[in-house]
Every structure is written in C-alpha cells, then in structure tokens.
Amino acid sequence: MQAVLGGGISGLSAAYYLQKLGSKSKVLVYEGSNRVGGWIWTSRQKNGILFEQGPRTIRPRFEAGLNTLQLVEELNIANLVRGIPVSHPTAKNRMIFVNGKLHTLPSSLRDLFIRRPPFSKPLVAALFHDMRAKKKVLDDESIYSFVERRLGRDLAEYAISPMICGICAGNAKEISVKFLAKSLFEFEQVHGSITKGLLATAWQNRKRIWSRADKAQLASDSLAHRAKQERWSVWSLEGGLEVLPQTLLKTVQSQGAKVELNANCTQIVFNGDGAVLTIGDKNVQAKNVISTIPAERLAPLLVQHPFLTEELGKISSVTVAVVNIAYKGNVLNHNAFGFLVPPSEERPILGVIFDTCSFPQDGFSVLTVMMGGHWFGSRLGNSPTKDSILKTAISEIRSILKISDDPCDSQVSILKDCIPQYVVGHHDRVQKIREYILKHKLPLLLAGSSYDGVGVNDVIFSAKRAAANC
C-alpha cells in the first residue's frame, strides 16, 4: 500500500501520479480535516457570487506551469479554463499603497525610464546601481537585503516587500532570496552582478519558458499551445479553482484510490517493510509514505528520527485572514489586479485583490482582502474575531478605495498556518533533510508547499516527483 498524508491539491496529485505511473499497490490518502482541497477553497453564496478563500489564478509558464496545464487536460476539464492575456488590464495594472495614495507599478519598457512615485528615480537607475555594487560572496541572504544591495532601497521597499506580502504573507527582511530570486542571486555569485548575468544568459532565459515542454504539451490542440499563442499571464477555472481538486478526487477514486477524511496521523514508525502509520486508533502498514502535510505537522510524527523532528519543525508557517467582500454594481474606480501594501505603511492589511476585474460576476464587484501573515498578532491582535476582522477590512476599503457603499455579502476565513516561510537557510535545510532520508533509506517522500515552492504549480510538480521516486 502507498500512503499519502494530506488531501490538498498536492496530496491528491500524488495519488493521481502514483496511479498514472502504474503503481501496483493500493493508494490511500489520509486527510485530517472533513474536506479535500486544502487551501484551494471556492464558496458559492446564495446569491450566486463566487468567493475564493485561497488561490484563484495559476501561471502557465515554465516546466511546473506546463505540467499543471497537462494535468488539467488529462482530467478532461480543459473546456473550463479561462485565460487572462498579458495585455489584459489586470495583468498590466498592479498597484501599491504608499503615503496615503495608490500608485500603479511600471509595466512596460518605457515605464522604466520615467520616474513614478513612490520611486525616487526611474527604475532603470537600479541597473546602474547594480553595475556599481561590489560582489558579496554569500551562501544565502534575505531577499530584501539582496535587492537593497544590488538594486537600491526603493526597489526593496516598494517592489519586493509588498510582493513578498502578496505571495507568502511574509517579511522580505527574513525570506530567503532563493525563494523568488535564486537565479538573480546566482548571477551575482557567478557573474559578479545581476546585469552581467542577465546579459550572459539572455537567449537561454528567453527560450527556457517553453523549452522544457514535451511534444504533447505543445501540440497545436494543447492548453500549453493556447497559453503560448494567446500569451496568457494567468488562468483559472469556470466555477472556481476548487474544481481542480474536486475533479482530482473523483478521478483517483474512480481508479481505486481510497480517500479517508478526518483521518489524523499521529505517528510514523519505519520498519523493514516500509512504515507503520498510526491513524486514529488503528495502525496501517505502508510500503511508502508521501507526506504533503506542513513540515511543522510532520515533525512530531517522526520521533524515531530526532534530526527530522528538529529540522522539519524549523520550517514555520504564518496565519492569514482572508476577507471576501461583494458589492452590488461596479464600485471600483480602477481596472486592475489589485494593490499591495508595503509593511512600512503599518496598515492592518497586506493587500486587496479586485476579483471581478479579472473574472466578472454579473452585477457585482467582488474584492478579497488579505490580512495578517507575519504581522497577524501585531496588526490584528492575538485572538481577533471574524467580526472585528471584517470591520477592519471594510474600513480599509472605504479609506483607500473610497467605497462608501455597504457590502451586500461577505465571508471571513482565518487560515491557520497556511503559508510556509522560506527564511534564510531554507534551501540548505531542505537539502539536509532529504539527504538524511536518503542516507537512512527511509520510505518517506516530501511534497507540498513546505519545501520547493508555495504556488499551485510548485506543489503539484513536487507531488509528481515524489510519486516518481516511490
């Protein structure tokens, strides 16, 4: 039997790829909660409005992005895909809130040569800053420190910090540069600067977006071909992104996998036949275990191996409050993806997504307010109520977006420990963990958002790799 811990998108993908790769063992998925899908969660309200409590769009590019598109085709839901091209206003118009005003971030080559507040200089000046900056030999550093050193404080403060808030609700002064800018960090280490590295690898990087796609992925009738031809920035699914895990669930069950809900694993003990999992009041023998649960939750299950317990426990996560708010009619004065708020502004929100600018919902404006993350306790309090969170979100929208209307619908979700934090040293820690597992020949594979990326593409691809190694 092959055991999968976690019934989120990564766990369901692991089960799918085990079956696809011809596993002769029965596949069992153990999910601790009462539903599958993990943080991908779409709610349809009584009035028909769709609220996304987690991810809502997926990027189509590079190897992991192409793999997800291929998965969607294999699941026969390609007809539900809705692409947003790079020319769409929500792909071009992204804003930040600084000094009491919304500012549109540069989105074209021409914009690089124009000074736009809150930046004190045209962004092209960052390249000259990089060319003058001395090389610093390091194994890792925070992404804020790296960008400030090489490109200047403006970019670190008004581009990188809010972007990290939007992607992982984290503090850029703690998050590893290898989380989002590993190649840029390596450019400095290998070539001496980002600019020299970009010039040395320009053609290679241009081809890399699609070069790893196989012939099936780029066939003329494939989603990847459509994404390339139509120049998608992101895509989603009609009916909401939760259609993806729900379809995966039906598919793996139809092929013989068993998915158990409310099935908490409390211990894993390795033996000569694989591993024994304690699930509730029963012990289950498995040939291999693919863990897609957060590293912090996996850590205490491995008391047989104190090193793993200690190191996995250091991969922490943050809690995010997500507030979905709907208004009747069009109340937005901006046609954009939304806006982010740099931590230095000390506002109680991380940012706001303008959902219906990307995917309209007849007669409504739908916004999603993100709150908390690294600053959950300091900005929202140690035990905020859903009512207090909603009140703060509405107040911020009224203040920043000048929307005086009362919402016609809303929903507050507190997603506890939902996004892992890849702090400085994360990649070395994960490498040591995997080296330990290999050295001791443990039948344990790691997938999910705690290790190799927090995006939907990342966790699906990590599940595919784990299944291939079973």
Side-chain angles (χ1 to χ4, degrees):
M1 188 264 285
Q2 307 278 17
V4 178
L5 294 182
I9 187 66
S10 184
L12 294 172
S13 297
Y16 174 82
Y17 287 118
L18 282 170
Q19 293 172 325
K20 182 182 177 182
L21 293 169
S23 173
K24 296 180 181 179
S25 302
K26 186 175 180 63
V27 178
L28 271 76
V29 179
Y30 297 104
E31 166 56 41
S33 72
N34 62 359
R35 60 175 290 278
V36 299
W39 303 120
I40 298 180
W41 198 338
T42 306
S43 301
R44 185 177 289 276
Q45 307 301 100
K46 291 181 180 179
N47 50 19
I49 295 173
L50 286 181
F51 284 155
E52 292 281 15
Q53 297 172 56
R56 65 213 59 228
T57 57
I58 301 176
R59 293 191 178 278
R61 297 182 174 188
F62 301 109
E63 189 174 12
L66 296 174
N67 178 73
T68 303
L69 290 175
Q70 187 174 36
L71 173 63
V72 167
E73 289 187 294
E74 293 171 1
L75 294 174
N76 296 314
I77 53 173
N79 61 306
L80 300 180
V81 173
R82 299 292 180 263
I84 296 290
V86 295
S87 59
H88 194 277
T90 59
K92 295 192 300 182
N93 300 330
R94 294 169 184 261
M95 301 181 292
I96 58 173
F97 182 77
V98 178
N99 297 327
K101 294 181 180 179
L102 286 170
H103 305 274
T104 301
L105 292 170
S107 62
S108 69
L109 183 62
R110 178 177 175 273
D111 288 342
L112 299 180
F113 297 90
I114 302 172
R115 189 188 77 80
R116 292 181 179 274
F119 300 101
S120 60
K121 300 177 183 178
L123 291 190
V124 71
L127 296 180
F128 295 106
H129 189 286
D130 173 61
M131 292 170 69
R132 293 193 303 267
K134 293 182 179 180
K135 175 181 176 179
K136 192 172 183 179
V137 179
L138 296 166
D139 291 326
D140 197 2
E141 70 177 310
S142 77
I143 191 167
Y144 187 100
S145 171
F146 172 75
V147 172
E148 184 179 35
R149 276 197 309 106
R150 297 235 55 98
L151 301 173
R153 183 182 176 278
D154 268 11
L155 275 177
E157 190 67 33
Y158 300 127
I160 295 303
S161 278
M163 182 170 65
I164 293 297
C165 288
I167 294 174
C168 69
N171 184 351
K173 294 180 179 179
E174 296 181 2
I175 298 297
S176 168
V177 65
K178 296 178 182 179
F179 173 56
L180 284 182
K182 184 179 180 181
S183 61
L184 301 186
F185 178 72
E186 290 174 347
F187 284 164
E188 178 188 25
Q189 301 305 305
V190 175
H191 300 280
S193 76
I194 296 173
T195 308
K196 290 177 182 178
L198 287 170
L199 292 173
T201 61
W203 178 249
Q204 177 184 343
N205 290 337
R206 183 173 179 271
K207 293 177 65 178
R208 183 169 159 253
I209 293 174
W210 306 104
S211 62
R212 294 187 180 179
D214 59 33
K215 291 182 179 180
Q217 286 177 324
L218 281 181
S220 60
D221 60 345
S222 70
L223 276 177
H225 184 267
R226 274 186 58 199
K228 182 179 180 181
Q229 293 300 113
E230 298 173 12
R231 302 181 69 215
W232 291 354
S233 171
V234 295
W235 59 272
S236 190
L237 293 168
E238 185 177 327
L241 206 56
E242 195 179 353
V243 170
L244 180 54
Q246 290 296 332
T247 305
L248 268 171
L249 173 65
K250 294 175 184 176
T251 301
V252 299
Q253 287 179 323
S254 70
Q255 294 175 358
K258 185 178 180 181
V259 179
E260 292 190 15
L261 302 180
N262 300 307
N264 277 303
C265 180
T266 55
Q267 182 174 265
I268 301 173
V269 176
F270 301 104
N271 58 24
D273 296 321
V276 176
L277 288 72
T278 301
I279 308 290
D281 59 357
K282 64 182 179 181
N283 290 330
V284 179
Q285 177 72 50
K287 180 182 178 182
N288 294 293
V289 179
I290 297 179
S291 175
T292 68
I293 62 178
E296 280 184 303
R297 283 173 49 198
L298 176 62
L301 310 186
L302 302 172
V303 292
Q304 192 181 14
H305 292 271
F307 174 83
L308 292 180
T309 295
E310 180 178 356
E311 293 302 313
L312 287 166
K314 293 176 181 176
I315 304 175
S316 62
S317 301
V318 296
T319 297
V320 176
V322 176
V323 184
N324 305 111
I325 302 177
Y327 297 88
K328 288 183 179 179
N330 181 17
V331 298
L332 283 167
N333 294 321
H334 305 275
N335 191 2
F337 180 82
F339 68 88
L340 293 168
V341 183
S344 56
E345 291 295 303
E346 298 186 350
R347 307 286 295 209
I349 65 173
L350 301 173
V352 179
I353 300 169
F354 304 164
D355 295 275
T356 41
C357 286
S358 292
F359 302 104
Q361 299 190 43
D362 289 345
F364 298 99
S365 297
V366 178
L367 312 178
T368 300
V369 185
M370 301 173 295
M371 309 170 70
H374 175 82
W375 302 271
F376 191 93
S378 62
R379 303 276 170 89
L380 302 179
N382 292 326
S383 300
T385 65
K386 289 187 176 182
D387 284 344
S388 69
I389 289 173
L390 177 61
K391 184 177 179 180
T392 298
I394 293 173
S395 174
E396 288 294 292
I397 285 176
R398 285 176 174 162
S399 172
I400 296 172
L401 295 176
K402 312 304 180 187
I403 296 175
S404 58
D405 297 29
D406 290 325
C408 63
D409 206 345
S410 63
Q411 176 177 269
V412 178
S413 306
I414 300 177
L415 310 181
K416 183 171 174 54
D417 299 329
C418 63
I419 309 181
Q421 301 295 283
Y422 291 15
V423 299
V424 174
H426 173 83
H427 286 76
D428 286 345
R429 173 169 290 115
V430 171
Q431 183 178 342
K432 290 176 183 177
I433 290 170
R434 288 198 164 115
E435 286 174 352
Y436 181 95
I437 291 172
L438 285 173
K439 179 180 178 181
H440 292 80
K441 298 180 180 179
L442 303 180
L444 174 66
L445 292 306
L446 303 177
S449 60
S450 290
Y451 311 104
D452 305 306
V454 301
V456 175
N457 290 329
D458 300 317
V459 300
I460 291 174
F461 201 56
S462 73
K464 184 177 183 178
R465 288 197 302 264
N469 289 321
C470 279

